[in-house]
Amino acid sequence: MSSSSYCLTEIQRRIDEVKQFLSITLNIANAHTVEFYTQDAWNRFTAVPPQEVLSTFSSCNDGSDQQREPQHRAKDHSKTTFGFCNETDRLVDACELLRAARAHSLPGLGVCMSRDELLQALRESRAESRAPAAAMGAEMETDEFMNSKKSHEVQSMSEVVACLAQHCGVKQVIDVGSGKGYLSSFLSLQYGFHVYGIDSSSSNTHGAQERNRKLKKFSRAYQKHNKAVRAQGKAAHSPQEESEEIKPGVEGDDDFSHGVGLSQEEEKERESEPNPEQDFFLSAPSVDVMQPSSPRVPSSQLTDEERERRKRESLERKAQNRTSANEMFSPLTSYVTAETELRELIDELEDAVMVGLHTCGDLAPSTLRMFVAKPELSAVCSVGCCYHLLSEEFDPAGQECLHGVCGFPLSQYLRQGSWFCGRNARMSACLALERVSLGQGIQMESLFYRAVLHVILRDHYSSFKSEKRVGNVYSKAKSFVDYVHRALLRLELDESKLSDRDIQDYHDTYKPRMGEMHAFNLLKVTLAPCIEGLILLDRLCYLKEQEDLSFSALVQLFDPLLSPRCYAVVGLKN
């Protein structure tokens, strides 16, 4: 298979373009929302009214910005770069900024392959080499046992992984950060790969193993039901009724990526709450419940010999099921880094494809480093997330890279320039522009409450920069006054310093400026794809720098509305 159409020098040129853009705009992304009022962020970074940003953002998203001119431009701000005044470094032209941001995102740079383009290239390569296609089991409908987001991700990624494995002629897949095991189970059951799912959480590993066993039972019952229906010729029920009979009816959301409206703390709070619907497989009905059983002779009418025979057959079936379920999917518990020795984890390791679906923080770059370093890894398909958890080598404070190799930058090209993003900017990269553009907006009230609380802490408490965290008290608060009381209790501060009237006065004072915060956060959302783009271009550049790779590319695997972290880094060795 021929290499990607973008060579190393071309990727480096695109990196330079994004770096130039971010060198002007990154200060906005690095401004912390909590300090929005205490640091007077709006007036520090912008010289336009909030309404101009709000209306420009709206018009850019509905396609009516072509003839739009800024509503507010001072005469001495005529010389700009990406909408920022060259003299004051403040934003004076929101429309120019939004257009530049689109041009410096991955779609604007034009460096990504589509999923269909990658699949077509892999299939053509397989046809040229006359390699046989991988055997598939009876097709499974993933929406029968996953929510729509996870179903979309698993189906889209598994087909790509299968084509990579077929291209390389391998039968093993290593799923790093396998989590609940949805992708691993599907790859083993649908495509017959031997999948090793590695996760640092033992509860995830045990849950994935049990979930896979339940899924295998469900798969058998599902296939047997469909086979029986087909054999009948004309079924008594409509296809819709049949689907309703066998569909478990699971709804719920087990997003691995961060949603738009929630802060990182709120996301963690939501993810930590138990959701019985997410663990359908741990309480799924048995196969006997899901399919009709043939008439059986009552136990009281059986001879002793017959009872013994049935007992023996039942034990044999259970043992066979356990062996069959385990031989194709092997969940393993281990904390994985770039230095992890796979052969110490996997005794039967053969040539394999390494994959990662929404691997958090440094695990995504570690996956790429392992792929480059381990000769037994023939291909990689890595979709990262949680950029705020990346460690940075060139952190000026020296606090993020304390334990060896850092996650960013990965490429030698960016490391030579000592490039640094900043945690707030990386957190901004987790925002989902596509969702915000469709009105699935940021939950402004919770952000507003927290920023005004910070003003109160500054004015009345010396510990407003305390290491203690406010946490997710907003969801429990009935009003701003209640929110502040709850926050002060969480921070172990004296509530008696402020009356309810004093607290409400703060709210009423800053309420008219809430539009500033809304507009500022839309600017951060606008910059998010550019920051994410630099992080992913750095990973692609790292692969391009390797001599023994025949192919490497950024591929859009998912619909960004369903799965905002939609880009995969794909690589193939010679």
Side-chain angles (χ1 to χ4, degrees):
M1 183 167 155
S2 61
S3 180
S4 168
S5 56
Y6 295 100
C7 63
L8 175 60
T9 55
E10 180 66 17
I11 296 302
Q12 290 173 341
R13 187 174 70 82
R14 302 302 170 92
I15 286 176
D16 289 340
E17 292 175 8
V18 180
K19 282 172 57 181
Q20 182 185 9
F21 174 72
L22 291 179
S23 67
I24 303 295
T25 61
L26 200 61
N27 283 338
I28 286 181
N30 267 319
H32 204 303
T33 306
V34 167
E35 301 172 336
F36 183 76
Y37 294 121
T38 58
Q39 298 292 326
D40 196 17
W42 183 258
N43 292 317
R44 282 178 61 203
F45 297 113
T46 74
V48 296
Q51 188 56 41
E52 179 176 332
V53 173
L54 296 173
S55 59
T56 302
F57 187 88
S58 176
S59 62
C60 282
N61 289 322
D62 63 22
S64 60
D65 65 320
Q66 298 304 315
Q67 304 299 323
R68 187 177 185 86
E69 293 296 331
Q71 300 171 2
H72 174 86
R73 187 201 297 267
K75 291 181 179 179
D76 60 344
H77 291 165
S78 57
K79 295 182 179 180
T80 63
T81 303
F82 305 130
F84 286 79
C85 175
N86 293 336
E87 296 178 1
T88 65
D89 296 329
R90 296 167 74 197
L91 177 67
V92 296
D93 189 337
C95 194
E96 184 181 349
L97 172 62
L98 266 63
R99 288 174 178 171
R102 284 192 305 208
H104 292 87
S105 66
L106 289 178
L109 294 169
V111 294
C112 292
M113 296 180 73
S114 70
R115 175 178 170 275
D116 290 342
E117 288 172 336
L118 175 63
L119 291 174
Q120 181 65 24
L122 289 169
R123 286 164 181 158
E124 289 175 355
S125 175
R126 189 182 70 218
E128 291 174 3
S129 63
R130 298 181 180 180
M136 285 183 59
E139 186 171 352
M140 296 172 61
E141 296 293 336
T142 52
D143 59 1
E144 299 287 347
F145 47 88
M146 302 179 200
N147 64 61
S148 59
K149 176 182 180 293
K150 187 55 59 183
S151 173
H152 170 67
E153 293 166 351
V154 168
Q155 281 192 317
S156 298
M157 190 167 185
S158 62
E159 187 174 3
V160 169
V161 173
C163 282
L164 289 171
Q166 292 161 15
H167 174 85
C168 300
V170 302
K171 295 293 185 181
Q172 286 189 359
V173 175
I174 301 174
D175 184 3
V176 180
S178 53
K180 296 185 177 182
Y182 288 113
L183 178 64
S184 295
S185 293
F186 191 77
L187 284 168
S188 63
L189 292 172
Q190 181 70 26
Y191 293 97
F193 295 122
H194 192 165
V195 184
Y196 295 94
I198 307 176
D199 196 272
S200 61
S201 168
S202 59
S203 61
N204 274 348
T205 302
H206 296 150
Q209 194 163 24
E210 181 66 9
R211 193 173 291 106
N212 183 70
R213 184 180 65 81
K214 294 281 188 180
L215 175 55
K216 201 169 184 69
K217 286 188 176 183
F218 174 85
S219 174
R220 289 198 197 99
Y222 184 84
Q223 294 173 28
K224 187 170 183 178
H225 175 90
N226 285 345
K227 185 176 180 180
V229 170
R230 287 193 299 269
Q232 291 173 4
K234 292 184 178 181
H237 304 292
S238 68
Q240 182 178 357
E241 289 172 333
E242 291 165 8
S243 176
E244 291 171 352
E245 285 180 2
I246 60 173
K247 189 167 184 175
V250 179
E251 305 233 351
D253 187 14
D254 94 341
D255 259 349
F256 280 21
S257 65
H258 292 288
V260 151
L262 302 179
S263 67
Q264 300 297 344
E265 290 79 14
E266 290 170 328
E267 282 288 348
K268 291 179 181 177
E269 184 86 11
R270 184 188 68 174
E271 289 170 0
S272 66
E273 293 175 356
N275 185 349
E277 290 179 335
Q278 291 179 353
D279 281 325
F280 158 71
F281 294 122
L282 300 183
S283 58
S286 69
V287 180
D288 292 336
V289 174
M290 299 174 63
Q291 66 185 46
S293 303
S294 58
R296 296 174 65 89
V297 178
S299 178
S300 60
Q301 298 179 17
L302 295 176
T303 64
D304 292 342
E305 184 179 348
E306 181 64 17
R307 285 198 193 94
E308 187 63 30
R309 185 185 66 81
R310 286 193 178 186
K311 183 178 179 180
R312 186 171 59 253
E313 289 177 351
S314 175
L315 291 173
E316 289 174 353
R317 278 197 306 272
K318 289 180 179 179
Q320 184 179 4
N321 288 341
R322 283 194 297 270
T323 302
S324 178
N326 292 334
E327 68 184 7
M328 299 308 292
F329 173 47
S330 304
L332 305 170
T333 301
S334 177
Y335 183 80
V336 175
T337 67
E339 291 76 32
T340 298
E341 286 296 336
L342 294 176
R343 294 194 179 278
E344 294 180 2
L345 295 176
I346 305 170
D347 294 333
E348 304 83 9
L349 182 64
E350 302 173 359
D351 288 351
V353 175
M354 175 163 279
V355 303
L357 175 53
H358 292 150
T359 47
C360 290
D362 286 347
L363 185 55
S366 291
T367 298
L368 298 179
R369 285 190 172 107
M370 289 177 67
F371 165 66
V372 168
K374 313 296 184 186
E376 57 268 21
L377 298 178
S378 303
V380 67
C381 182
S382 171
V383 181
C385 72
C386 303
Y387 302 127
H388 63 292
L389 297 178
L390 280 171
S391 59
E392 291 200 57
E393 181 175 358
F394 302 104
D395 175 15
Q399 296 178 348
E400 293 194 344
C401 194
L402 303 176
H403 305 289
V405 182
C406 290
F408 181 85
L410 187 60
S411 68
Q412 189 62 31
Y413 187 70
L414 264 184
R415 293 181 70 233
Q416 288 173 349
S418 302
W419 182 262
F420 173 72
C421 275
R423 188 179 189 276
N424 290 336
R426 288 183 278 108
M427 188 175 289
S428 297
C430 297
L431 298 170
L433 174 62
E434 291 81 6
R435 289 182 175 178
V436 174
S437 299
L438 287 185
Q440 302 174 21
I442 304 168
Q443 293 185 4
M444 286 307 307
E445 188 175 65
S446 64
L447 298 176
F448 172 72
Y449 278 16
R450 183 61 184 88
V452 178
L453 171 67
H454 206 63
V455 177
I456 293 174
L457 294 176
R458 179 198 64 185
D459 291 351
H460 298 277
Y461 300 90
S462 60
S463 58
F464 77 101
K465 290 188 176 180
S466 168
E467 292 299 318
K468 298 185 179 70
R469 304 181 70 86
V470 173
N472 184 25
V473 300
Y474 172 78
S475 62
K476 305 177 183 68
K478 299 176 181 178
S479 65
F480 178 71
V481 173
D482 186 32
Y483 172 86
V484 172
H485 283 304
R486 289 175 179 270
L488 293 176
L489 282 173
R490 180 72 65 88
L491 296 173
E492 300 178 357
L493 296 175
D494 182 9
E495 295 179 77
S496 64
K497 282 190 175 184
L498 292 169
S499 68
D500 288 357
R501 182 66 262 173
D502 293 333
I503 295 172
Q504 187 62 39
D505 284 345
Y506 273 96
H507 176 277
D508 296 344
T509 299
Y510 284 93
K511 180 70 173 178
R513 296 182 59 187
M514 192 171 176
E516 295 178 5
M517 177 176 278
H518 187 194
F520 198 81
N521 276 280
L522 287 182
L523 293 178
K524 297 180 80 168
V525 169
T526 299
L527 297 175
C530 308
I531 304 167
E532 178 182 36
L534 181 65
I535 293 170
L536 295 179
L537 283 171
D538 170 57
R539 295 174 184 179
L540 177 60
C541 185
Y542 171 75
L543 293 187
K544 295 286 184 186
E545 291 171 346
Q546 312 307 317
E547 295 181 354
D548 62 339
L549 266 65
S550 62
F551 175 85
S552 55
L554 284 176
V555 183
Q556 183 176 335
L557 286 190
F558 311 134
D559 178 348
L561 285 174
L562 281 173
S563 183
R565 307 281 75 79
C566 61
Y567 295 103
V569 181
V570 176
L572 284 166
K573 289 182 181 172
N574 290 322

